[in-house]
Amino acid sequence: MSLIDKFLSRTRLRGARQRLADDSSPRNYLALAQEHARSGEMVEVQRVCEEALALHPGHGELTRLHERARALVNEERTRSLMRELREAPRPGLFRELAELFLSMGRVERADEVALEWFEHSGDGAAQLLRAQARFQRFMVDRRREDGRLVLELCQAAAKLLERDERPLRLELELYTAIGAWRDARRVVSQLLEQSPGDSVLESRFRALNALADAAPNVDAALREVERSGKLASEERGARRSAAPARSIRPLLKELASGPGVQAALFERGATALVQGPKGATAERTARAVREIVAKSRSTSRRLGAGAPQSIELEGEFGSVLIAPDDSGSAALWTTRATITAAQRAALSDLVGAGAEGIDESEVQSAQEEAA
């Protein structure tokens, strides 16, 4: 780029930034991102798009530009890492490259790089990353061989990574997905040995106790998932949808009454029950949660990572936790920096109650109260 071109580019960037400072509209964000793109500054394009999407979630052009910029940045970093590995391989480079491939949804390449990493260093983290890659593929293809390999790799990683919970948590995620509740209970018991008194784990152990007696073994559960193409969580969601309505307003009010809580809500489809904000503010809050859940599910599908189990946001506004489910989504916004285990459990209870249906009289009373 010539000196004149650089000067003109800087001039255009200053103008785009000033227009954006005067009016933070999607159009002005796009103009600034495109100026960075003309200069080949794709990292800046990403940054501008992320800032824009925080203000204008779900905007089509901004989303597409952000995804394109991220893909170009990832491709360039991938080429750079592969050059460095050819010249002087080391575990940190293998890790970054494997994780990058995994984030891009290139599961096979992630597995190959992680295997090469393990052969180079014998690192247990490499086996764990291979397990994560296979888990992603299992969640998409539902093949039992992938599920078995996930468990083998988790167990191999656990032997090399002493007192590291990650292999156990991935094992638990698989058992829960396929409905192997006895094995899930066993893993939760192991996690409790490492984290005694953890209220979330204790609650989960009690819930699994109720399911364990009639649960299939791992092989039978994997065969059923491969045969039907449906995960156990999906089957349970389908059964829940036919259940009778149950009141969730008391649960919602109890959650909203906690210190620092700004909003608590449950929504399914176009219906939202909100505690905290009123009127138009309640509608905007519900709409924002709906858009975050939709975007997260879309991104998760593109990555082949399965359905998101929880969504957490932190910032100057405090903390937001969303529990998405087939039966609906429960959300909590608090000004406090962290969300307590009790609040997490309450969100799970809300989703469970919503799975049995929303009483239509609640919807009417919620609308009257918001007005």
Side-chain angles (χ1 to χ4, degrees), residues 72-133:
L72 290 171
V73 170
N74 286 345
E75 287 171 11
E76 178 57 34
R77 184 57 183 156
T78 297
R79 288 193 291 269
S80 175
L81 286 168
M82 292 176 73
R83 283 195 300 270
E84 290 186 66
L85 281 169
R86 283 195 296 269
E87 294 169 3
R90 61 181 189 270
L93 297 178
F94 279 118
R95 178 195 296 272
E96 185 179 351
L97 183 59
E99 289 177 346
L100 186 55
F101 277 132
L102 199 59
S103 72
M104 296 164 65
R106 298 175 62 180
V107 176
E108 293 294 340
R109 288 292 289 126
D111 191 18
E112 291 170 6
V113 172
L115 177 57
E116 190 176 352
W117 170 19
F118 180 72
E119 291 172 345
H120 179 268
S121 64
D123 194 335
Q127 294 290 66
L128 177 59
L129 200 141
R130 289 191 66 206
Q132 292 167 340

Side-chain angles (χ1 to χ4, degrees), residues 116-172:
E116 190 176 352
W117 170 19
F118 180 72
E119 291 172 345
H120 179 268
S121 64
D123 194 335
Q127 294 290 66
L128 177 59
L129 200 141
R130 289 191 66 206
Q132 292 167 340
R134 289 287 175 168
F135 180 75
Q136 280 196 17
R137 196 166 83 169
F138 171 78
M139 294 298 284
V140 174
D141 297 338
R142 315 286 168 91
R143 294 178 61 250
R144 57 180 162 172
E145 289 306 319
D146 287 325
R148 287 172 179 156
L149 189 53
V150 170
L151 296 175
E152 290 174 13
L153 290 168
C154 282
Q155 289 156 12
K159 291 177 182 178
L160 296 168
L161 301 170
E162 293 185 8
R163 297 198 63 78
D164 191 322
E165 291 187 354
R166 291 176 298 167
L168 286 174
R169 293 215 176 250
L170 184 57
E171 221 180 317
L172 176 60

Side-chain angles (χ1 to χ4, degrees), residues 5-302:
D5 288 337
K6 288 181 180 178
F7 174 76
L8 292 173
S9 176
R10 285 196 296 269
T11 301
R12 289 194 302 267
L13 278 170
R14 280 197 300 271
R17 289 190 183 109
Q18 186 57 56
R19 287 189 295 274
L20 182 58
D22 295 337
D23 176 16
S24 56
S25 65
R27 181 183 62 184
N28 287 337
Y29 270 111
L30 276 169
L32 179 58
Q34 287 162 353
E35 286 299 334
H36 282 301
R38 288 191 188 98
S39 302
E41 300 170 335
M42 303 314 295
V43 173
E44 283 300 303
V45 175
Q46 270 189 282
R47 184 190 62 78
V48 170
C49 288
E50 285 166 3
E51 180 184 326
L53 288 168
L55 292 174
H56 309 286
H59 189 277
E61 281 189 80
L62 285 167
T63 299
R64 287 190 291 273
L65 185 56
H66 177 255
E67 291 175 352
R68 179 60 179 157
R70 183 176 60 181
L72 290 171
V73 170
N74 286 345
E75 287 171 11
E76 178 57 34
R77 184 57 183 156
T78 297
R79 288 193 291 269
S80 175
L81 286 168
M82 292 176 73
R83 283 195 300 270
E84 290 186 66
L85 281 169
R86 283 195 296 269
E87 294 169 3
R90 61 181 189 270
L93 297 178
F94 279 118
R95 178 195 296 272
E96 185 179 351
L97 183 59
E99 289 177 346
L100 186 55
F101 277 132
L102 199 59
S103 72
M104 296 164 65
R106 298 175 62 180
V107 176
E108 293 294 340
R109 288 292 289 126
D111 191 18
E112 291 170 6
V113 172
L115 177 57
E116 190 176 352
W117 170 19
F118 180 72
E119 291 172 345
H120 179 268
S121 64
D123 194 335
Q127 294 290 66
L128 177 59
L129 200 141
R130 289 191 66 206
Q132 292 167 340
R134 289 287 175 168
F135 180 75
Q136 280 196 17
R137 196 166 83 169
F138 171 78
M139 294 298 284
V140 174
D141 297 338
R142 315 286 168 91
R143 294 178 61 250
R144 57 180 162 172
E145 289 306 319
D146 287 325
R148 287 172 179 156
L149 189 53
V150 170
L151 296 175
E152 290 174 13
L153 290 168
C154 282
Q155 289 156 12
K159 291 177 182 178
L160 296 168
L161 301 170
E162 293 185 8
R163 297 198 63 78
D164 191 322
E165 291 187 354
R166 291 176 298 167
L168 286 174
R169 293 215 176 250
L170 184 57
E171 221 180 317
L172 176 60
E173 197 170 349
L174 178 66
Y175 289 141
T176 302
I178 65 176
W181 309 117
R182 278 197 301 272
D183 295 275
R185 183 179 61 180
R186 173 179 54 78
V187 173
V188 171
S189 178
Q190 291 176 268
L191 287 168
L192 278 168
E193 290 176 9
Q194 295 188 25
S195 304
D198 186 306
S199 60
V200 175
L201 287 172
E202 288 176 347
S203 175
R204 196 162 190 182
F205 185 84
R206 289 193 295 271
L208 288 168
N209 261 338
L211 298 168
D213 290 342
N217 62 35
V218 175
D219 283 338
L222 285 170
R223 280 197 303 272
E224 177 57 24
V225 169
E226 185 178 58
R227 183 195 67 78
S228 67
K230 292 183 179 180
L231 299 173
S233 56
E234 294 167 346
E235 294 281 7
R236 293 179 75 207
R239 288 195 297 270
R240 284 171 173 173
S241 64
R246 169 186 168 192
S247 176
I248 66 171
R249 293 297 293 283
L251 294 172
L252 202 58
K253 286 184 176 180
E254 182 181 353
L255 184 59
S257 67
V261 173
Q262 298 297 298
L265 64 90
F266 178 87
E267 60 183 24
R268 178 197 285 170
T271 299
L273 305 181
V274 183
Q275 287 291 322
K278 304 292 184 184
T281 305
E283 292 179 9
R284 286 196 298 272
T285 303
R287 185 164 57 249
V289 169
R290 192 176 294 118
E291 289 173 351
I292 291 169
V293 171
K295 184 64 178 174
S296 298
R297 283 173 171 160
S298 174
T299 301
S300 184
R301 281 195 299 272
R302 284 198 298 273

